[in-house]
Amino acid sequence: MAQNLASRVINGTYGRVWVNGELWAEVDSFEAKVTINYEDVNIANNGATYKKATGWTGEGSMTIKKIYSRVQRAMAENVRRGIYPRFEIVGKVEDPDAYGAERVALHDVTINEFFLLKFEQKTLGSEEIPFAFSDYEMIDTIAPR
């Protein structure tokens, strides 16, 4: 049984990312997560600390091979002029050996920082792009069988 499940584990090699509808084939890694924000709630005559959700924060990052100046073209001149672009990102991983695919759409994406220029001798170029988002949509999920 365990051997059958091992082949069903998602392989990230089959992951893809689209930014504003354009496939970015040079993405090496991608992650998007939601962090729930809580505040402590203390109750009189009770030693426990309870938690009350007050909202959530969406953030993530992707690492891309340095082939194009995609991020610099979208951000550099705009930021200098006081314009902070927003993006739509769709990430998908669909391993043909797995039980299905996961796909998520991230809305109102803002890039937190970007490199103007980065290189290192005898090293292939890559860039990490941290981002935040204020909305998301789970399009596909993998259900148990």
Side-chain angles (χ1 to χ4, degrees), residues 15-28:
R16 294 181 285 174
V17 173
W18 293 262
V19 178
N20 288 345
E22 179 183 15
L23 177 62
W24 285 21
E26 68 273 18
V27 173
D28 271 336

Side-chain angles (χ1 to χ4, degrees), residues 27-59:
V27 173
D28 271 336
S29 67
F30 179 84
E31 69 175 6
K33 68 178 181 177
V34 171
T35 302
I36 302 169
N37 304 319
Y38 291 97
E39 286 201 27
D40 290 348
V41 176
N42 295 305
I43 306 295
N45 201 35
N46 187 326
T49 300
Y50 298 89
K51 301 287 184 183
K52 171 69 176 176
T54 59
W56 60 273
T57 302
E59 58 189 3

Side-chain angles (χ1 to χ4, degrees), residues 102-139:
E102 283 186 335
R103 184 169 48 138
V104 64
L106 307 177
H107 307 293
D108 192 36
V109 176
T110 55
I111 292 178
N112 299 343
E113 64 181 35
F114 62 96
F115 289 99
L116 293 174
L117 183 64
K118 175 186 172 187
F119 66 89
E120 183 177 341
Q121 294 294 313
K122 297 186 179 183
T123 302
L124 297 177
S126 68
E127 295 177 291
E128 183 174 349
I129 304 161
F131 58 84
F133 56 94
S134 64
D135 196 10
Y136 64 93
E137 175 185 358
M138 291 301 306
I139 300 169

